[in-house]
Each structure stands twice: as C-alpha cells, then as structure tokens.
C-alpha cells in the first residue's frame, strides 16, 4: 500500500472494497505488471489478487520487437516494415533474415544467408526412413510435427541454447529443412518417391520441385506460381503472439532445444481454429455449393448453428491486411491455373457478410484463411497440405520469437496460475472397501 497523495502520474489507483485499502500500481507501456496486483490481499496468509484471463485475451506475455499489429486499423508490420511492401518487393528468405536479425541484410549478408539456407536443405537419410514409416494415409501435418521434433535427436548440440552461434545454426537448419520435410510428407501420402533438394533453385522453386518433380532432370516452376507461393510464405511469416507462437514460447521457456519448441508450434497450428481454418473454408464453400444457397447458410451462422470459417480474428477487427494481399495473389495464380469455381461463392459470401448486421456489429472480416485455401487448391495441393504450407511460412517467425525469448532477461518459465474449482481434503477409501 502506498501514500495516495504521492502517487506518480503513470499509475493506477485501485481501491479494494473488501478492506478499504488503496494501492498505486505503476503503468508502463499501457500495462500494469500482474505481479503488482499480488500485494492486494485480504490477510497476510492469503494469496494476493491475480487476474483471470482464459485465452490471454488481455494479457501481454512478453516484450517483443518482432511484429507490430494494429487490429483496429488493419496494420501489420514485420520489424517496422509494412507487410504490403515486403509482399511486393522482398523475398521470403530476406523476410526471414529480417525477422530473425532485426534488420534488413546487406548484399553480402543476404548472399551468405541464402547460401547457408540452401546448403542445409538436405536431411539425414534416417529422417527419410522415419517419414517412410508413417501409415499411407497419415496426415502430413502430423508427419511434419513428428519429423521436426525428431530433428532434435539428430542435432543434440541444439540444447546449447545460450550460444548465439549455435542458435543461428539451428535456425538456419530449420528454415532450410522444413520444406524438405513438408514435401516428403506430401509425397509419402501420394505414394511417390521422395525428391531430394535441388540447390540450383531458389527456396520456393526448390520446394515446388520436391513436391511435384517426377522424371524430369530439373523441375522448372512457372515463375508466377513460384512468386505467388513466395508471397504466401511472406504473409504467414509472423503474427506476434498467436496460438502457435505462444506454444513455441511457452515450450521454449523450459529451455528445451528449438526443434522441440517448434514441434509444439506445429502442433498448435494443426488445430482448426488456427492453421486448419483454410481447409475448413474450402469444405464450407463446397458444402454451400452454389450462390443460391448462401442466404440459408448465412442464416444458419447467425442462428449460432455454425461459424463462417475464414471470418473473424482475435486481433483484427478490420479487414486482415493479409487477406487483401492474398486476394491479389489469387489473380496471379488463376491466370496460370484457371479460376477456381469456388472463388465465385467466396466472393459472394464475403459481399453478403460484409453488409450483414450480424458480422458488421461483431466486426467480423475475412482473415488470411478465407482466400488462401482457394490458391492452394489451384496449385494442386490437397487440403491436408494447407497447414503444412502455413507452418513452413511461419517457421522464421517462430524462430525469431524463440530467439528473442532466449535472450530476454525478463522471461521466465511459463507457468500460469489457476482458480481451483475442485474438491479439497477428501478422505481416500481404498478400492476394495469402495467396491465391497
Ligand atoms: C478466429 C476466432 C477463433 C477468434 O475468436 P475470438 O477472438 O475468441 O472471438 P469470439 O469467439 O469471442 O467472437 C466474438 C463474437 O463473434 C462471433 N464470431 C466470431 N467468429 C465468427 C465466425 N467466423 N462466424 C460467425 N460468428 C463468429 C462469436 O460467435 C461471438 O459472437 P457473440 O458475441 O454473439 O457470442 C473466431 O473468429 C473464429 O472461430 N473464426 C473462424 C475460424 C477462423 O477463420 N480461424 C482463422 C483465424 S486466422
């Protein structure tokens, strides 16, 4: 408890009506430190006041200089650079460098970075056997999650997370190998032989080659497709403290190796409310089937029978800037592949929803997943692969956040509080007596 008269300006005065005591709590960066609430207590032997925040809807878990989002205005910046400029003028590998290192590379730094990533695309032959061990119908996301985690056993030195050079090496390896693992998960499901990386190709061209190459000497992707995929990876590269990044940080806070932490991120991304939403969007569009069925579908959503997948966002209460850029990428891809017939339904659905009071009132706009599935489908990806593409794109973001966590002196092992609602002090009766 402090002297109210002497309170500093940047503070919050809290009066506990249970005791009549007042407390001054410092405000910094528009937040109060949750631990400062701990001083508010009824008696000395009771726990102090805590906050209850399922899903962390209004709790900052870290300080971060990686990604800025203004959800009300629909702004997304990586290290201060607007996503629109990066999508138009940069490359995925340059963005990955930016996210991890905090600034854009010089020419020399960029060339070294690309060289490093390119020459770490191969994985140990045992990884191949490991991937081949999955059942023929294994979901590629489950395979990716397991194989990224398995990489920790190939690089046991990765536990040495206090060594910056070592961290750099693991981050390079992971960005380099994710497309190889993702492509092999895809080929396994198709019963096709695995394609080794082609180090003559760019990051995205090589990924396409590992996915689609058959008997040709070298796979030449259409440059418009390679560029569109590169843009999609950029758009997914980071999104501050989302569910999977929080998983990476939470698991990483135990100081486990980064492969295990990223495997946790892949696991979180697997869920339909996170990375799985674009797959759900396609299923929904197919189910709607034609434009005439849209009003009945919208009624069902408004009655709470289901959700309009690809709409709504925890942070964006405006049009997701990535959704706008994806819509643009749709045009480039459809120029090569022909228009996906579901696009018409999606556009009409968007038009109706944006004018409907239910969605307007709740500020529900299309998110990144609304159109991305349509592009992926046009690129011949089966829906199970959509989240794998997301994971490959998100890897530099996970790693940038993990690296920031490891070097942040304020961070501690993640360990939230709970409000206990169960029984207490019961008397245990042995089974033979209970069942007698
Ligand atoms: C993304 C999402 C999980 C965010 O959830 P959230 O921040 O917890 O938001 P809430 O669930 O509290 O939603 C607020 C209100 O909007 C409604 N709402 C949110 N998303 C909706 C959607 N896609 N369709 C219909 N109603 C929706 C909720 O039912 C709630 O209504 P209520 O106030 O009448 O109860 C949620 O919008 C969603 O499930 N969207 C569909 C899945 C999706 O596209 N995910 C990808 C995210 S990139």
């Amino acid at each position: 408890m402090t002297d109210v008269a002497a309170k500093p300006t940047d503070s919050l005065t809290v009066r506990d009506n249970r005791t009549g005591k007042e407390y001054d709590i410092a405000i910094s960066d528009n937040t109060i430190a949750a631990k400062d609430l701990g001083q508010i207590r009824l008696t000395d032997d009771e726990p102090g006041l805590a906050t209850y925040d399922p899903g962390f809807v209004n709790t900052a878990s870290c300080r971060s200089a990686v990604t800025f989002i203004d959800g009300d205005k629909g702004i997304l910046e990586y290290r201060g650079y607007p996503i629109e400029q990066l999508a138009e003028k940069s490359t995925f590998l340059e963005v990955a460098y930016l996210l991890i290192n905090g600034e854009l590379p010089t020419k020399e730094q960029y060339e070294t970075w690309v060289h490093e990533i390119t020459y770490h695309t191969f994985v140990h032959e045992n990884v191949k056997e490991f991937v081949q061990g999955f059942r023929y119908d294994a979901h590629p996301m489950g395979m990716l999650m397991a194989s990224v985690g398995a990489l920790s056993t190939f690089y046991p030195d990765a536990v040495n997370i206090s060594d910056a050079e070592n961290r750099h090496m693991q981050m390079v390896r992971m960005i380099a190998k994710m497309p190889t693992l993702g492509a092999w998960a895809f080929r396994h499901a198709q019963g096709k032989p695995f394609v080794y990386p082609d180090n003559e190709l760019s990051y995205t061209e090589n990924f396409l080659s590992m996915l689609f190459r058959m008997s040709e000497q070298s796979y030449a992707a259409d440059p418009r497709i390679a560029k569109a995929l590169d843009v999609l990876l950029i758009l997914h590269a980071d999104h501050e403290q989302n569910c999977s990044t929080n998983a990476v940080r939470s698991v990483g806070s135990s100081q486990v190796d980064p492969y295990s932490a990223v495997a946790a991120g892949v696991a979180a991304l697997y869920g339909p409310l996170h990375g799985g939403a674009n797959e759900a969007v396609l299923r929904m569009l197919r189910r709607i089937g034609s434009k005439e069925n849209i009003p009945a579908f919208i009624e069902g959503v408004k009655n709470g029978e289901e959700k309009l997948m690809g709409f709504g966002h925890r942070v964006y209460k405006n049009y997701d800037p990535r959704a706008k850029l994806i819509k643009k990428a749709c045009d480039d891809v459809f120029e090569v592949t022909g228009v996906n017939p579901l696009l018409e339904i999606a556009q009409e659905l968007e038009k109706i929803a944006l004018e409907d009071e239910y969605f307007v009132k709740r500020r529900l706009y299309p998110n990144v997943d609304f159109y991305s599935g349509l592009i992926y489908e046009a690129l011949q990806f089966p829906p199970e692969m959509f989240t794998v593409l997301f994971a490959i794109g998100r890897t530099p973001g996970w790693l940038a956040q993990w690296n920031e966590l490891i070097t942040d002196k304020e961070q501690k092992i993640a360990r939230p509080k709970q409000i206990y609602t169960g029984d207490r002090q019961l008397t245990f009766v042995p089974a033979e007596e209970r069942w007698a």
Side-chain angles (χ1 to χ4, degrees):
M1 197 170 54
T2 52
D3 175 3
V4 178
K7 70 176 187 288
T9 331
D10 285 344
S11 72
L12 179 75
T13 302
V14 179
R15 183 184 156 82
D16 185 346
N17 292 322
R18 300 171 302 178
T19 58
K21 289 184 190 166
E22 278 196 3
Y23 302 82
D24 265 2
I25 297 186
I27 297 177
S28 160
D29 297 315
N30 204 30
T31 56
I32 57 165
K35 71 173 167 36
D36 286 350
L37 295 175
Q39 62 182 304
I40 305 176
R41 54 181 77 217
L42 272 178
T43 58
D44 284 349
D45 53 0
E46 282 197 49
L49 200 69
T51 56
Y52 176 58
D53 190 6
F56 303 126
V57 293
N58 195 26
T59 297
S61 62
C62 62
R63 293 176 190 279
S64 179
V66 182
T67 288
F68 173 81
I69 299 177
D70 183 332
D72 283 331
K73 298 199 181 105
I75 295 173
L76 169 61
E77 294 170 0
Y78 296 160
R79 300 282 188 185
Y81 294 97
I83 190 67
E84 292 81 2
Q85 293 179 23
L86 295 172
E88 193 190 342
K89 297 177 186 156
S90 187
T91 62
F92 177 63
L93 285 191
E94 189 179 35
V95 167
Y97 184 97
L98 171 69
L99 284 168
I100 288 172
N101 296 289
E103 44 194 48
L104 290 169
T106 61
K107 184 169 186 287
E108 204 184 358
Q109 286 167 331
Y110 182 66
E111 282 167 3
T112 307
W113 176 247
V114 172
H115 181 85
E116 281 185 302
I117 304 272
T118 308
Y119 283 86
H120 281 91
T121 47
F122 278 73
V123 293
H124 194 287
E125 281 294 290
N126 286 162
V127 175
K128 195 171 115 186
E129 288 159 30
F130 176 81
V131 176
Q132 278 166 336
F134 282 99
R135 274 181 66 87
Y136 70 98
D137 59 353
H139 195 293
M141 204 52 185
M143 295 166 75
L144 183 69
M145 175 170 59
S147 47
V148 177
L151 286 185
S152 74
T153 66
F154 290 84
Y155 305 107
D157 58 322
V159 290
N160 189 7
I161 57 168
S162 54
D163 176 2
E165 224 171 279
N166 190 300
R167 287 201 304 276
H168 172 82
M169 179 45 67
Q170 312 314 331
M171 291 192 280
V172 164
R173 282 185 177 139
M174 231 174 307
I175 295 170
K177 294 180 200 308
M178 283 293 268
T180 312
L181 299 176
W184 285 7
F186 172 73
R187 302 281 293 202
H188 179 73
Q190 308 231 321
K192 289 180 181 156
F194 295 168
V195 177
Y196 286 99
D198 181 343
N199 290 349
E200 298 302 309
L201 301 176
S202 74
Y203 188 82
T204 321
E205 287 166 345
N206 171 51
F207 180 42
L208 288 165
S209 161
M210 291 188 290
L211 289 162
F212 298 122
R213 187 169 138 201
M214 290 309 290
S215 59
E216 56 273 51
Q217 273 293 323
S218 169
Y219 183 83
D222 186 299
R224 290 168 295 182
I225 300 281
K227 172 69 190 156
L229 193 53
D230 203 66
V231 169
L232 283 160
L233 295 179
I234 292 174
L235 298 183
H236 286 89
D238 196 50
H239 213 230
E240 52 120 301
Q241 306 313 313
N242 57 88
C243 177
S244 57
T245 301
N246 181 57
V248 170
R249 277 184 173 263
S250 187
V251 171
S253 76
S254 75
Q255 304 203 341
V256 73
D257 69 89
Y259 299 99
S260 304
V262 166
V266 177
L269 195 61
Y270 201 171
L273 292 188
H274 191 5
N278 51 13
E279 189 178 337
V281 170
L282 275 194
R283 274 200 305 272
M284 173 189 79
L285 293 176
R286 248 183 224 112
R287 196 156 44 84
I288 295 173
S290 72
K291 282 199 320 194
E292 304 78 73
N293 299 332
I294 292 177
F297 173 79
I298 294 273
E299 267 324 292
V301 171
K302 284 158 64 177
N303 293 337
E305 286 157 25
E306 58 184 315
K307 279 190 170 169
L308 172 51
M309 297 310 284
F311 260 65
H313 199 275
R314 173 61 59 79
V315 178
Y316 293 117
K317 303 301 170 197
N318 200 325
Y319 213 103
D320 182 337
R322 301 166 302 169
K324 272 190 202 150
L325 294 162
I326 287 190
K327 233 171 147 183
K328 203 160 144 252
C330 269
D331 297 337
D332 301 339
V333 168
F334 292 156
E335 199 183 295
V336 184
T337 63
V339 175
N340 186 328
L342 296 178
L343 179 67
E344 219 193 1
I345 302 176
Q347 283 173 331
E348 184 66 14
L349 201 53
E350 178 189 338
K351 195 166 144 265
I352 293 175
L354 289 181
E355 287 165 0
D356 191 293
E357 206 220 323
Y358 175 95
F359 299 92
V360 174
K361 206 172 101 202
R362 289 171 178 76
R363 304 180 73 192
L364 301 170
Y365 291 86
N367 60 45
V368 69
D369 292 313
F370 194 65
Y371 286 105
S372 60
L374 290 172
I375 299 195
Y376 295 150
E377 189 169 76
L379 296 178
Q380 311 290 316
F381 288 109
E384 315 82 78
M385 274 300 285
F386 297 174
T387 327
V388 171
L389 301 170
F390 191 156
I392 294 170
R394 185 54 55 87
T395 300
W398 286 332
L399 293 171
Q401 302 266 354
W402 168 78
N403 199 38
E404 187 175 62
L405 163 95
I406 298 302
T407 49
D408 180 350
K409 297 213 169 9
E410 285 184 4
Q411 283 298 323
K412 293 177 181 307
I413 186 165
R415 204 317 184 175
K417 275 182 175 289
Q418 64 167 8
I419 301 172
Y420 180 68
T421 60
D423 292 328
R424 298 258 351 256
Q425 309 267 311
L426 302 179
T427 303
F428 178 73
V429 180
E432 59 273 22
E433 287 177 35
R434 292 197 319 273
W435 300 339

